[in-house]
Amino acid sequence: MSEGGGSPVEEKMLFSSSLASELCSQMPQASVGETRTRRRRKAKGDGAGGDAKKKRLRGEQLKFLEMSFQDERKLESGRKVHLATELGLDPKQVAVWFQNRRARHKNKQVEEAYAKLKMAHDAVVFEKCHLEKEVVFKLKGKLLEAEEEIRKLSLGTSTAGASGSNAERGGSSPSSSLSTVSHHPLVGEFGVEGEADLMNIQEYNFNSYMMEWANFYGV
DNA sequence: TTGTGTTTTATTGCCTCC
DNA sequence: GGAGGCAATAAAACACAA
């Protein structure tokens, strides 16, 4: 039944070549179509007078049409008739072939545009993750610096206060010097003591920052 | 061989332009 | 109002795995 000629796979190869050109060249008569209410026609086949069976075009016909399509995507009637007589086809068949070919071409372009957009999107997501990690890293560094600052301050106040008697302050235990840490506003807020408590402060600050960040970005 | 998915050819209905 | 374009769809032809 098949009319010989190249296999459909070969034809496909032909189609898929050299399609990378103009993106978005003809965006259809846009949004007008949105209101179209699509009808459905009755299935044919039961209809009168032998619908001619569909015939695949032969390889050389396809080649010729393809060349013509690459040359010019639209088909004015003179060219249509010429092509039809040249290939032994009905002019209507030629017109239909061009119509379908344009549709395939457009699909291909849309696919390519999608692939490009997707690549760009993935790259942006990757970059975003990278930047976030960088921000977190820098903030942790600053936090450590701040922690160091606090430690220095607390050590300073404890050594300065060591000149007075412990009894005056009512502190007798060796750990009482650390208790002055609680004079620092941040520390006092939590009523914490010691280095472990400083770590808690750091963690608290970091967590609250992360919460803010998450809220801000809606994560 | 057959069921199923894909591609190609053809039709229909709507829209735009001249 | 007719020609031609397009989107949506039907259906034949084909490919291919099971």
Side-chain angles (χ1 to χ4, degrees), chain A residues 2-211:
Chain A
S2 65
E3 320 247 347
S7 75
V9 177
E10 288 166 356
E11 315 304 353
K12 241 186 294 175
M13 302 293 219
L14 236 179
F15 287 155
S16 59
S17 65
S18 79
L19 285 165
S21 52
E22 14 100 59
L23 269 174
C24 309
S25 55
Q26 352 96 301
M27 277 297 124
Q29 302 103 304
S31 56
V32 179
E34 287 171 4
T35 53
R36 280 187 189 181
T37 48
R38 280 283 159 182
R39 61 315 129 117
R40 201 43 333 227
R41 68 188 125 102
K42 68 269 173 190
K44 61 171 184 182
D46 51 345
D51 272 317
K53 290 282 180 188
K54 290 182 184 180
K55 284 191 173 181
R56 294 254 163 157
L57 302 181
R58 294 195 307 272
E60 60 269 32
Q61 291 173 320
L62 286 170
K63 242 176 234 175
F64 208 92
L65 287 168
E66 186 64 29
M67 280 169 56
S68 185
F69 179 80
Q70 296 303 335
D71 195 38
E72 175 68 55
R73 305 257 150 87
K74 298 237 171 164
L75 190 65
E76 72 282 7
S77 62
R79 193 155 143 259
K80 176 170 67 182
V81 172
H82 178 255
L83 271 174
T85 50
E86 197 81 12
L87 297 172
L89 294 169
D90 185 3
K92 191 176 178 185
Q93 274 181 296
V94 175
V96 165
W97 187 89
F98 264 75
Q99 185 55 57
N100 288 321
R101 185 67 185 81
R102 280 194 296 270
R104 283 196 294 270
H105 180 254
K106 189 178 172 185
N107 272 342
K108 186 97 184 172
Q109 283 185 317
V110 169
E111 274 174 23
E112 286 171 1
Y114 172 79
K116 278 185 185 172
L117 282 173
K118 191 170 186 309
M119 275 181 65
H121 172 263
D122 290 349
V124 167
V125 167
F126 180 81
E127 175 73 4
K128 178 173 171 275
C129 285
H130 182 74
L131 288 172
E132 282 170 5
K133 280 184 183 169
E134 202 174 297
V135 164
V136 167
F137 181 77
K138 284 182 179 171
L139 284 172
K140 278 186 172 174
K142 291 203 170 196
L143 217 47
L144 285 174
E145 280 175 22
E147 175 202 334
E148 191 60 31
E149 190 76 13
I150 290 171
R151 185 176 292 139
K152 280 178 187 168
L153 283 173
S154 65
L155 281 176
T157 54
S158 70
T159 52
S163 58
S165 77
N166 269 346
E168 280 174 19
R169 259 180 242 110
S172 56
S173 75
S175 66
S176 60
S177 67
L178 274 176
S179 70
T180 58
V181 168
S182 65
H183 297 321
H184 189 279
L186 256 180
V187 177
E189 184 181 344
F190 299 98
V192 292
E193 293 182 309
E195 283 188 37
D197 300 320
L198 285 171
M199 294 304 288
N200 286 340
I201 294 165
Q202 173 188 341
E203 195 159 330
Y204 170 81
N205 284 341
F206 180 71
N207 287 339
S208 63
Y209 163 76
M210 290 306 284
M211 290 280 283

